[in-house]
Amino acid sequence: MQPGQMAYDRGSTVFSPDGRLFQVEYAREAVKKGSTTIGIKYDGGVMLIVDRRVSSKLLEPKSTEKIHDIDDYIGCATSGLVADARVLVEEARKQAQTHRVNFGENIGVEMLVKKICDYEQNFTQYGGARPFGTALLVAGTDDLGAHLFETDPSGALVAYKATGIGNGRPAVMDLFEKEFKDGMSFEEAGTLGLKALSAAVEEKLNADTVEIGVAEIGKKFRRLSVDGVSDLIGKL
């Protein structure tokens, strides 16, 4: 680190002279070291694909949960620090339930993501706390259709047709730029997403190390069974 940076990287609330928040940038680096996570839209829904590859054969793959239910029609996938992600998922669930109790309806996907990002942004503006070292891909459906959002440790959010986070993001985005098409079917999107994941991890995929969540218009958010994942992998 340059000596001039030392005075500005000790707190998340201090800007450097060139307008950077170093703690937020370090949090983004934590996300880059996370497992590869993919989101892709298709005709009538959104698919989340996560690599949950384990580092030891003694570890139970199912214990490394990377896809979470937030509401009946909204789910998310995470990359980065697992504990930080769990806190954000709990906050998202609380916001969704509070909205349902107050207004008697499911919360909109964009509204929920903005509330999550507002919560994250507070940890970049006030002293005594650090930014969250995690990013979320939020997939869901509401009256406006199917949505895919990506959150950032700074509290920013972006809507995507297809995206990836984690250590395989460059390979995933390169493939999506070349091959993604609007209006793909469920099978086409699943095959393309798994192809991107395979390119990112550079290993052969199997159903035990891949987790897939699906949000479809008119249906509740769900995870594909092992057989369902195997079928999509078999079409690669």
Side-chain angles (χ1 to χ4, degrees):
M1 180 181 297
Q2 298 296 325
Q5 294 182 8
M6 293 293 290
Y8 303 102
D9 79 327
R10 302 185 187 280
S12 63
T13 61
V14 181
F15 282 98
S16 70
D18 55 350
R20 298 164 63 187
L21 288 173
F22 288 110
Q23 291 297 318
V24 173
E25 294 185 16
Y26 300 155
R28 292 194 182 110
E29 291 301 317
V31 174
K32 292 179 182 178
K33 289 178 169 57
S35 57
T36 304
T37 302
I38 292 170
I40 182 168
K41 294 179 72 173
Y42 59 91
D43 186 21
V46 187
M47 185 180 299
L48 299 174
I49 305 173
V50 180
D51 172 37
R52 60 177 184 187
R53 201 171 305 276
V54 296
S55 57
S56 170
K57 65 180 181 180
L58 302 178
L59 203 153
E60 287 282 359
K62 292 183 180 180
S63 68
T64 58
E65 186 180 21
K66 297 294 180 67
I67 293 181
H68 306 269
D69 300 80
I70 294 177
D71 201 352
D72 287 342
Y73 300 94
I74 305 174
C76 73
T78 69
S79 185
L81 300 181
V82 176
D84 285 16
R86 189 172 64 245
V87 173
L88 290 181
V89 170
E90 289 301 319
E91 174 66 18
R93 288 171 175 167
K94 183 176 71 175
Q95 293 290 347
Q97 293 301 316
T98 300
H99 185 91
R100 179 180 293 172
V101 169
N102 288 339
F103 301 102
E105 63 180 14
N106 293 321
I107 192 170
V109 181
E110 185 174 1
M111 180 185 294
L112 175 66
V113 177
K114 285 181 177 179
K115 287 181 180 294
I116 298 171
C117 289
D118 288 346
Y119 186 74
E120 288 187 275
Q121 195 274 338
N122 282 332
F123 286 78
T124 70
Q125 192 170 0
Y126 299 102
R130 63 164 175 79
F132 287 91
T134 188
L136 307 181
L137 290 182
V138 181
T141 61
D142 55 26
D143 294 339
L144 300 177
H147 308 275
L148 173 64
F149 288 96
E150 177 186 331
T151 73
D152 181 78
S154 67
L157 69 148
V158 184
Y160 279 99
K161 296 178 180 179
T163 187
I165 55 177
N167 56 19
R169 177 183 170 89
V172 170
M173 297 304 287
D174 183 59
L175 184 66
F176 282 164
E177 289 283 353
K178 296 175 181 177
E179 300 190 20
F180 177 83
K181 297 179 294 183
D182 288 321
M184 290 189 297
S185 67
F186 175 85
E187 289 79 11
E188 289 173 333
T191 302
L192 179 59
L194 289 170
K195 182 179 179 181
L197 182 62
S198 179
V201 301
E202 299 179 345
E203 292 184 26
K204 187 176 180 179
L205 302 179
N206 65 77
D208 291 330
T209 59
V210 176
E211 189 174 7
I212 299 179
V214 178
E216 287 185 334
I217 295 175
K219 298 180 181 179
K220 292 186 177 182
F221 183 83
R222 72 184 194 278
R223 294 175 179 82
L224 293 190
S225 64
V226 174
D227 291 339
V229 175
S230 296
D231 289 342
L232 286 177
I233 291 176
K235 294 178 182 179
L236 278 177

